[in-house]
Amino acid sequence: MDPGRFTQVDATTWRVDPWGAMRVPAIIYADENLIRDMDNKVYDQAVNVATLPGIVQACYAMPDAHWGYGFPIGGVAAFDPDRGGVVSAGGVGFDISCGVRTMLTGLAVADVLSVQKSLADSLYHQIPAGLGSRGAITLDALEMDAMLIGGARWAVERGWGEARDLERIEEEGCMAGAQPDWVSERAKERQRREMGTLGSGNHYFEIQAVAAIYDLAVADVFGLVQDEVVVTIHCGSRGLGHQIGTEYLREMLVAAKEAGIELPDRELACAPINSEVGRRYLGAMRAAINCALANREILGHFARRIFAHFFPNCDLRLLFDVSHNTCKVEPHIVDGRRRELFVHRKGATRAFGPGHESLPAALRMVGQPVLIGGSMGTGSYVLVGEATSEAKAFSSACHGAGRALSRHAALKQWSGRQTVDDLEKEGILIRSPSMRGVAEEAPGAYKDIGAVVAAAEHAGLARRVARLRPLICLKG
């Protein structure tokens, strides 16, 4: 993407002033190299989002931004319902509440390396992964609705998790306002056998070493210790969330036309927040958030069970669990006034700074853990939210490295088998039911994760705490 299309504000802030139908500016946080490597569609999509009714302050794109459906992935936009604001299914994404959790093991890297192959094989055999994967849990109609209302709390009550986890999960494990009645039977049917499964694409279950500490004081609060091992799980609401997104996109195309909203792109289909379709979508989307929170809690339970087999005295503690693809009502200060806004984060992470009232007491002094997934070959990062991110992007940060190449382009460059063999030589064991999936997710298909997090830090979105190196990766 040509940086000349932007006004450069500083080393990591690039701005498009309103033109045409834009109601607010579009702002991208990235360094010049990251901007040059982005697809031109990131510019187009950010400008298009800035035209939507009721948008507040600006449309933002994070340093990992890339082309998505309607909104760029790595996009953040807030809407005011009292000013005609809208909710967009494409602005949330199809994998509703796709997110990540990191669990502390207290184990040394040497402990895990002594059983690395057996542990990798055990994960592969016990964690259902891959397209359409199904698990041992089957939900009838009553349990499905209970799960969609209860989220991770439901999972804990059924014995698939621990009560102490809940305070370390966004929304304390349960998103209020979920409406199972507004989720179709087709969406529920797709989810009946998918609880406790990883799915496909960029979802993963990874055993990681803490390879570097950048902020010792915050790392100490988080419980991160150099050369100890953590477990990170990345997945979402599986078939249920995808079905909800698909169905409401069709409804929103009609709703937007009826509301007189001029869409620059059909993929920006949306409905006024204060409309019947808007309210129904929000109720269904919140149910999908609970589905994702329950799913990750169950996978965390499976992690504890597998680790207990290899390390009987191991106690896996949850550091944090946070979602990426959501629309949430949050208070934010705009022009000196506190306003309740509907914040869309698509491929972006909530990143509350120190002192935020919604954070658990143990983390409130330092800020929210911001978990940044990389690729299976290059590692991941743990950051901490900065107070400055409130004004910069409604307390948001990037969510991962971000794709540099499409899956189609990746398939042309890499072989799944060769990627697995190459990574094994580097000490990283990959297990996956799909060699095609491994090729699509090859490390070279992603941006430089180090450059992405450095840009996020320079922009004041979040600050580096630790770098994680993969030891074992189960890919979906």
Side-chain angles (χ1 to χ4, degrees):
M1 192 161 63
D2 180 6
R5 302 178 77 184
F6 300 86
T7 299
Q8 185 172 7
V9 179
D10 59 35
T12 53
T13 306
W14 306 74
R15 177 184 174 100
V16 181
D17 287 318
W19 60 274
M22 291 174 70
R23 300 169 192 263
V24 294
I27 294 175
I28 296 184
Y29 295 112
D31 65 27
E32 184 169 340
N33 289 331
L34 289 169
I35 290 278
R36 289 188 183 281
D37 288 342
M38 286 181 189
D39 191 291
N40 281 320
K41 288 182 178 176
V42 173
Y43 175 98
D44 299 335
Q45 293 189 322
V47 165
N48 286 342
V49 172
T51 70
L52 293 176
I55 189 168
V56 175
Q57 199 161 278
C59 167
Y60 299 99
M62 302 291 106
D64 56 338
H66 53 105
W67 173 83
Y69 188 95
F71 280 48
I73 296 171
V76 177
F79 296 85
D80 187 338
D82 296 330
R83 298 188 179 185
V86 296
V87 58
S88 168
V92 171
F94 287 92
D95 192 1
I96 297 171
S97 196
C98 178
V100 62
R101 68 164 38 196
T102 294
M103 305 172 78
L104 311 169
T105 71
L107 295 168
V109 170
D111 296 330
V112 169
L113 291 181
S114 67
V115 295
Q116 188 181 15
K117 184 175 183 304
S118 300
L119 180 55
D121 292 339
S122 185
L123 288 174
Y124 180 66
H125 291 302
Q126 296 193 50
I127 304 292
L131 184 65
S133 53
R134 293 184 164 192
I137 298 171
T138 302
L139 302 184
D140 61 21
L142 287 176
E143 278 299 286
M144 176 65 71
D145 285 359
M147 180 273 289
L148 294 176
I149 292 172
R153 289 185 193 171
W154 168 86
V156 169
E157 289 167 0
R158 301 302 187 273
W160 295 310
E162 297 183 359
R164 62 177 177 168
D165 295 341
L166 297 177
E167 73 163 4
R168 296 298 185 106
I169 303 175
E170 200 174 7
E171 308 296 339
E172 296 183 348
C174 180
M175 185 74 213
Q179 296 285 350
D181 290 346
W182 295 339
V183 177
S184 72
E185 290 305 314
R186 170 65 179 143
K188 292 176 181 177
E189 181 58 32
R190 287 184 64 176
Q191 195 61 32
R192 286 187 72 228
R193 293 284 311 277
E194 291 195 347
M195 298 308 296
T197 66
L198 196 58
S200 60
N202 63 352
H203 297 150
Y204 60 81
F205 191 122
E206 198 161 279
I207 313 301
Q208 303 163 323
V210 179
I213 298 283
Y214 302 98
D215 188 324
L216 192 56
V218 176
D220 188 51
V221 173
F222 286 179
L224 294 166
V225 178
Q226 177 92 30
D227 293 328
E228 284 195 353
V229 171
V230 301
V231 177
T232 297
I233 300 167
H234 177 230
C235 67
S237 52
R238 305 286 286 110
L240 181 130
H242 196 280
Q243 189 68 28
I244 289 171
T246 301
E247 292 170 357
Y248 277 95
L249 271 166
R250 289 196 291 265
E251 284 201 59
M252 285 181 174
L253 273 173
V254 178
K257 186 175 182 181
E258 290 177 349
I261 299 171
E262 294 286 339
L263 296 177
D265 179 350
R266 285 172 56 88
E267 294 182 0
L268 286 176
C270 59
I273 294 164
N274 290 329
S275 69
E276 191 266 341
V277 174
R279 284 189 287 271
R280 278 199 288 112
Y281 173 72
L282 287 166
M285 181 208 65
R286 289 162 181 159
I289 290 176
N290 281 334
C291 177
L293 296 180
N295 195 34
R296 289 197 291 274
E297 181 68 11
I298 293 171
L299 287 169
H301 172 71
F302 291 168
R304 287 186 170 116
R305 190 174 65 188
I306 294 167
F307 270 71
H309 171 77
F310 288 92
F311 310 102
N313 297 318
C314 179
D315 178 27
L316 267 63
R317 292 178 294 123
L318 181 61
L319 167 57
F320 208 66
D321 184 311
V322 64
S323 301
H324 301 148
N325 297 352
T326 60
C327 173
K328 290 193 172 181
V329 183
E330 294 173 3
H332 288 285
I333 304 297
V334 180
D335 297 329
R337 188 165 65 87
R338 180 180 166 113
R339 293 163 65 177
E340 296 289 326
L341 302 175
F342 286 66
V343 182
H344 292 62
R345 295 189 181 92
K346 180 179 181 177
T349 300
R350 195 194 75 177
F352 287 151
H356 198 282
E357 59 191 18
S358 78
L359 295 176
L363 302 175
R364 197 170 298 149
M365 286 293 289
V366 296
Q368 181 201 304
V370 179
L371 312 173
I372 309 295
S375 74
M376 55 190 165
T378 56
S380 304
Y381 282 79
V382 177
L383 284 69
V384 63
E386 292 270 53
T388 47
S389 73
E390 158 74 11
K392 294 277 186 178
F394 300 111
S395 297
S396 307
C398 51
H399 82 311
R403 293 198 75 91
L405 294 177
S406 69
R407 290 189 167 88
H408 182 70
L411 277 176
K412 289 184 174 180
Q413 290 204 30
W414 292 284
S415 137
R417 184 69 259 166
Q418 189 63 50
T419 299
V420 170
D421 292 344
D422 290 346
L423 289 173
E424 185 165 348
K425 291 173 186 171
E426 298 177 22
I428 305 167
L429 300 186
I430 307 298
R431 297 291 184 270
S432 175
S434 169
M435 285 299 108
R436 177 191 175 98
V438 172
E440 290 175 344
E441 298 297 314
Y446 282 85
K447 295 183 177 70
D448 178 348
I449 181 73
V452 169
V453 298
E457 182 171 287
H458 190 277
L461 303 175
R463 190 174 76 253
R464 286 173 294 181
V465 176
R467 180 169 60 83
L468 309 175
R469 176 172 56 85
L471 301 172
I472 299 169
C473 181
L474 174 62
K475 290 296 293 185

